[in-house]
PDB file of all heavy atoms in Angstrom:
ATOM      1  N   VAL A 186     -11.848  89.417 -70.605  1.00 99.00           N
ATOM      2  CA  VAL A 186     -11.223  90.628 -71.142  1.00 99.00           C
ATOM      3  C   VAL A 186      -9.836  90.639 -70.531  1.00 99.00           C
ATOM      4  O   VAL A 186      -9.686  90.896 -69.323  1.00 99.00           O
ATOM      5  CB  VAL A 186     -12.006  91.901 -70.744  1.00 99.00           C
ATOM      6  CG1 VAL A 186     -11.401  93.131 -71.419  1.00 99.00           C
ATOM      7  CG2 VAL A 186     -13.486  91.762 -71.120  1.00 99.00           C
ATOM      8  N   ARG A 199      18.360  76.578 -59.809  1.00 97.00           N
ATOM      9  CA  ARG A 199      17.880  77.513 -58.783  1.00 97.00           C
ATOM     10  C   ARG A 199      17.813  78.887 -59.439  1.00 97.00           C
ATOM     11  O   ARG A 199      18.423  79.118 -60.479  1.00 97.00           O
ATOM     12  CB  ARG A 199      18.826  77.523 -57.585  1.00 97.00           C
ATOM     13  CG  ARG A 199      20.226  77.957 -57.944  1.00 97.00           C
ATOM     14  CD  ARG A 199      21.138  78.127 -56.733  1.00 97.00           C
ATOM     15  NE  ARG A 199      22.496  78.442 -57.174  1.00 97.00           N
ATOM     16  CZ  ARG A 199      22.904  79.662 -57.500  1.00 97.00           C
ATOM     17  NH1 ARG A 199      22.075  80.680 -57.437  1.00 97.00           N
ATOM     18  NH2 ARG A 199      24.135  79.870 -57.911  1.00 97.00           N
ATOM     19  N   GLY A 211      16.576  75.884 -72.295  1.00 91.00           N
ATOM     20  CA  GLY A 211      15.460  76.574 -72.954  1.00 91.00           C
ATOM     21  C   GLY A 211      14.278  75.646 -73.156  1.00 91.00           C
ATOM     22  O   GLY A 211      14.337  74.462 -72.853  1.00 91.00           O
ATOM     23  N   GLN A 230     -12.603  72.912 -70.095  1.00 97.00           N
ATOM     24  CA  GLN A 230     -13.577  72.295 -69.175  1.00 97.00           C
ATOM     25  C   GLN A 230     -14.984  72.316 -69.790  1.00 97.00           C
ATOM     26  O   GLN A 230     -15.958  72.010 -69.116  1.00 97.00           O
ATOM     27  CB  GLN A 230     -13.592  73.041 -67.842  1.00 97.00           C
ATOM     28  CG  GLN A 230     -12.327  72.841 -67.012  1.00 97.00           C
ATOM     29  CD  GLN A 230     -12.150  71.403 -66.583  1.00 97.00           C
ATOM     30  OE1 GLN A 230     -13.009  70.841 -65.922  1.00 97.00           O
ATOM     31  NE2 GLN A 230     -11.053  70.799 -67.002  1.00 97.00           N
ATOM     32  N   LEU A 270       4.032  94.790 -80.464  1.00 98.00           N
ATOM     33  CA  LEU A 270       4.559  93.439 -80.267  1.00 98.00           C
ATOM     34  C   LEU A 270       3.566  92.661 -79.414  1.00 98.00           C
ATOM     35  O   LEU A 270       2.871  93.249 -78.564  1.00 98.00           O
ATOM     36  CB  LEU A 270       5.897  93.487 -79.533  1.00 98.00           C
ATOM     37  CG  LEU A 270       7.024  94.227 -80.260  1.00 98.00           C
ATOM     38  CD1 LEU A 270       8.244  94.358 -79.364  1.00 98.00           C
ATOM     39  CD2 LEU A 270       7.392  93.475 -81.546  1.00 98.00           C
ATOM     40  N   ASP A 279      12.519  76.827 -61.474  1.00 91.00           N
ATOM     41  CA  ASP A 279      13.631  76.101 -60.834  1.00 91.00           C
ATOM     42  C   ASP A 279      13.272  74.633 -60.607  1.00 91.00           C
ATOM     43  O   ASP A 279      12.166  74.191 -60.979  1.00 91.00           O
ATOM     44  CB  ASP A 279      14.078  76.802 -59.535  1.00 91.00           C
ATOM     45  CG  ASP A 279      13.086  76.610 -58.387  1.00 91.00           C
ATOM     46  OD1 ASP A 279      12.130  75.835 -58.524  1.00 91.00           O
ATOM     47  OD2 ASP A 279      13.269  77.258 -57.337  1.00 91.00           O
ATOM     48  N   ARG A 335     -22.437  88.359 -63.967  1.00 98.00           N
ATOM     49  CA  ARG A 335     -21.542  88.220 -62.814  1.00 98.00           C
ATOM     50  C   ARG A 335     -20.132  88.654 -63.217  1.00 98.00           C
ATOM     51  O   ARG A 335     -19.669  88.324 -64.316  1.00 98.00           O
ATOM     52  CB  ARG A 335     -21.550  86.747 -62.418  1.00 98.00           C
ATOM     53  CG  ARG A 335     -20.785  86.416 -61.168  1.00 98.00           C
ATOM     54  CD  ARG A 335     -21.068  84.972 -60.762  1.00 98.00           C
ATOM     55  NE  ARG A 335     -20.597  84.721 -59.427  1.00 98.00           N
ATOM     56  CZ  ARG A 335     -20.898  83.642 -58.715  1.00 98.00           C
ATOM     57  NH1 ARG A 335     -21.699  82.718 -59.222  1.00 98.00           N
ATOM     58  NH2 ARG A 335     -20.434  83.484 -57.496  1.00 98.00           N
ATOM     59  N   HIS A 381      -7.583  83.112 -43.026  1.00 96.00           N
ATOM     60  CA  HIS A 381      -8.943  83.355 -42.527  1.00 96.00           C
ATOM     61  C   HIS A 381      -9.142  84.835 -42.223  1.00 96.00           C
ATOM     62  O   HIS A 381     -10.200  85.407 -42.517  1.00 96.00           O
ATOM     63  CB  HIS A 381      -9.225  82.506 -41.279  1.00 96.00           C
ATOM     64  CG  HIS A 381      -9.452  81.064 -41.613  1.00 96.00           C
ATOM     65  ND1 HIS A 381      -8.426  80.208 -41.914  1.00 96.00           N
ATOM     66  CD2 HIS A 381     -10.585  80.331 -41.717  1.00 96.00           C
ATOM     67  CE1 HIS A 381      -8.918  79.005 -42.194  1.00 96.00           C
ATOM     68  NE2 HIS A 381     -10.232  79.058 -42.082  1.00 96.00           N
ATOM     69  N   GLY A 403      -4.457  74.319 -50.805  1.00 96.00           N
ATOM     70  CA  GLY A 403      -5.850  74.417 -51.249  1.00 96.00           C
ATOM     71  C   GLY A 403      -6.318  75.846 -51.422  1.00 96.00           C
ATOM     72  O   GLY A 403      -5.618  76.682 -51.987  1.00 96.00           O
ATOM     73  N   ALA A 459      -4.535  71.421 -59.370  1.00 97.00           N
ATOM     74  CA  ALA A 459      -3.574  70.379 -58.963  1.00 97.00           C
ATOM     75  C   ALA A 459      -3.103  69.576 -60.182  1.00 97.00           C
ATOM     76  O   ALA A 459      -1.920  69.265 -60.326  1.00 97.00           O
ATOM     77  CB  ALA A 459      -4.203  69.452 -57.928  1.00 97.00           C
ATOM     78  N   GLU A 480      -7.633  63.133 -57.008  1.00 90.00           N
ATOM     79  CA  GLU A 480      -8.615  63.191 -55.889  1.00 90.00           C
ATOM     80  C   GLU A 480      -7.959  63.792 -54.662  1.00 90.00           C
ATOM     81  O   GLU A 480      -6.837  63.471 -54.344  1.00 90.00           O
ATOM     82  CB  GLU A 480      -9.048  61.775 -55.506  1.00 90.00           C
ATOM     83  CG  GLU A 480      -9.832  61.041 -56.572  1.00 90.00           C
ATOM     84  CD  GLU A 480     -11.268  61.539 -56.724  1.00 90.00           C
ATOM     85  OE1 GLU A 480     -11.713  62.346 -55.882  1.00 90.00           O
ATOM     86  OE2 GLU A 480     -11.928  61.124 -57.673  1.00 90.00           O
TER      87      GLU A 480
END
Side-chain angles (χ1 to χ4, degrees):
V186 185
R199 61 173 176 83
Q230 290 296 302
L270 298 173
D279 74 7
R335 185 171 193 168
H381 285 77
E480 294 286 351

